[in-house]
Amino acid sequence: MATRPQSTASAAVGPGSRRLRAGAHALSAAEQPALPVWAYEGQVPGPVLRLRRGDVLDLTLENALRDPTTVHWHGVRVPNAMDGVPHLTQPPVMPGETFRYRFALPDAGTYWYHPHWGTPEQVERGLAGALVVEDDLPPPVDRDEVWLLDDWRLDASGRIAEDFYAFRDVAHAGRLGQRLTVNGAVEPTLALQAGQRLRLRLVNAANARIFALELPGLPAWLIARDGMPADAAVAWEGPLLLGPGMRADLVIDAAQAGRFTLRDRFGRGERLLAHLQVDGKAPTGAARPAPQPAAHEPLPAPTSTDAWMQPLVFGGGMMGMGGWPEDSPAARDARRQRRLAGSREADPVWTVNGHAHMGRHDAHPPLFSVPRGRTIRLQLANRTAWWHPIHVHGHHVKLLARNGEALPVQPWRDTVLLSPRDTAELAFVADNPGRWLIHCHVLEHHAGGMGAMFEVS
Ligand code: C2O
Ligand code: CU
């Protein structure tokens, strides 16, 4: 895992359309045997796609994998047919087939792309990349970089462990890996000149790992979350919680020479992720003022009256209320039979409003159906003992309240992290027609039933 990201997809197919080839690939690393991965364009992570707001993303997925796949554009307000959810918004792209994704990018910000078929396996094997949509008037910086965070579970031979959908992962915290990487590399270093201002776009592409991030020693501000600019820059002080699927854009001033380390302190212990190496002499004088986030995207404002009120109660998991289901010998045997039959499904362990969303995404009636333009208020209740990053497709949602308390600043998000027993209230205008998923982005939890679908007509 030492390949460096490049900034654009390379080979072109047909007029205006770039190629995005998903295929098996052996990553060569200097002192190790090559690591078999699945990769976009032979790179882990996939190429950083950089476009401007209003541009048309036009890309032909070529499936050179042995399994079906799709591409989901996480956080982008795409037309429904481009959302990449197999059976729900498009047929799965079978091995040897292609699919052309083509849509205008409505919002600037940091997004990412990943498969939505066999997601726990395909993302873990390396299929993920950043999509950067540049602002019309970005805050001025000297450098603009993406750090895509991931973890990998390797087996004793150093290969990606094949225990996808393992019950102990599905029913607990999801699949956590012991090797942490940034842009596919272990503890890479980004070199800066003293005095430079860096925009750093963090993407959490891990299946299940939640990061609590710190980078002590340099002045830093948060200017956007999940692509959406903050109203004002917020000084980065305490640990920044970044659940799977979530993004954070930071501005960091290389105010002094030295080596500064991005570290994760979620749960026990501390893990090092990447370093900033600042060389040279910073110009003397006053510290630079806080950056100004880009002007806010004009998203439709939720109305406070006549909203569709929708409770979303998350249940299940081991040690959750009800402790369901038991890891009984019968359940274990059923899983063994399914594995022998080649099935790659998880067990139904998690529920939304009492229902486990298993199997094909189109096999379930919508949780709610609303006419286009209706304001939705989602009342999320985590009745489990676990953390869940809840992702809404096709829309940005406003986070109104947590645990019954209205937030003084109500930010836009596409993924909201719930701690155990947390509640949260979200609102958005359902202005994008189609059938959309809401699901936990711990990929094993989603595979274990933690999802739902809603319809806007
Ligand atoms: Cu990033 Cu439905 O997912
Ligand atoms: Cu979850």
Side-chain angles (χ1 to χ4, degrees), residues 72 74 85 112 114 116 245 391 393 437 439 441 446:
H72 170 60
H74 184 120
V85 180
W112 67 298
H114 63 76
H116 222 292
H391 173 46
H393 279 220
L437 293 183
H439 65 88
H441 220 284
H446 185 204

Side-chain angles (χ1 to χ4, degrees), residues 55-262:
D55 281 354
V56 172
L57 179 149
D58 184 352
L59 204 127
T60 299
L61 169 70
E62 285 181 24
N63 184 5
L65 302 167
R66 61 168 193 227
D67 283 349
T69 194
T70 61
V71 179
H72 170 60
W73 307 94
H74 184 120
V76 182
R77 298 189 296 148
V78 292
N80 194 247
M82 297 287 111
D83 199 39
V85 180
H87 305 296
L88 195 66
T89 69
Q90 68 166 94
V93 183
M94 301 309 281
E97 289 183 357
T98 63
F99 187 90
R100 188 170 182 186
Y101 292 96
R102 191 168 188 279
F103 51 89
L105 294 158
D107 306 300
T110 305
Y111 303 96
W112 67 298
Y113 59 97
H114 63 76
H116 222 292
W117 195 98
T119 323
E121 176 177 0
Q122 296 197 2
V123 172
E124 175 70 4
R125 289 191 187 276
L127 292 170
L131 166 63
V132 172
V133 184
E134 284 170 354
D135 303 312
D136 301 329
L137 282 172
V141 293
D142 305 301
R143 302 280 297 274
D144 183 328
E145 302 284 343
V146 175
W147 276 1
L148 185 137
L149 316 181
D150 202 354
D151 67 348
W152 305 73
R153 180 182 292 173
L154 305 179
D155 63 18
S157 68
R159 299 185 161 226
I160 294 170
E162 301 269 338
D163 57 345
F164 307 107
Y165 306 98
F167 179 80
R168 63 176 183 282
D169 295 329
V170 173
H172 296 95
R175 178 186 172 109
L176 301 172
Q178 76 275 42
R179 177 172 297 175
L180 273 60
T181 59
V182 173
N183 295 345
V186 175
E187 281 190 50
T189 297
L190 175 65
L192 296 174
Q193 285 306 308
Q196 283 188 323
R197 175 164 270 192
L198 165 71
R199 178 176 187 152
L200 187 58
R201 302 169 185 265
L202 301 177
V203 180
N204 183 351
N207 282 33
R209 184 177 290 277
I210 298 163
F211 295 97
L213 299 168
E214 293 179 3
L215 198 162
L218 295 175
W221 298 266
L222 256 168
I223 58 164
R225 297 291 300 263
D226 289 358
M228 291 290 100
D231 292 332
V234 180
W236 180 15
E237 270 146 6
L240 166 65
L241 278 176
L242 203 67
M246 297 165 69
R247 289 89 62 218
D249 288 35
L250 301 154
V251 167
I252 299 173
D253 279 345
Q256 52 172 319
R259 193 168 171 79
F260 305 93
T261 300
L262 179 70

Side-chain angles (χ1 to χ4, degrees), residues 284-360:
T284 45
R288 293 169 78 169
Q292 278 300 313
H296 209 289
E297 314 293 345
L299 291 172
T303 57
S304 48
T305 54
D306 195 33
W308 176 278
M309 307 295 276
Q310 181 64 54
L312 286 180
V313 179
F314 301 100
M318 298 300 280
M319 297 157 28
M321 294 185 190
W324 164 77
E326 225 186 301
D327 193 15
S328 64
R332 273 200 296 273
D333 190 56
R335 280 196 295 282
R336 206 176 62 87
Q337 295 302 333
R338 280 214 310 272
R339 229 178 14 250
L340 292 175
S343 159
R344 294 190 183 166
E345 277 233 335
D347 291 276
V349 172
W350 302 97
T351 54
V352 179
N353 295 358
H355 180 73
H357 199 265
M358 303 294 298
R360 284 172 59 135

Side-chain angles (χ1 to χ4, degrees), residues 387-388 440 442 445 450:
W387 292 75
H388 306 289
C440 179
V442 170
H445 290 179
M450 200 171 221

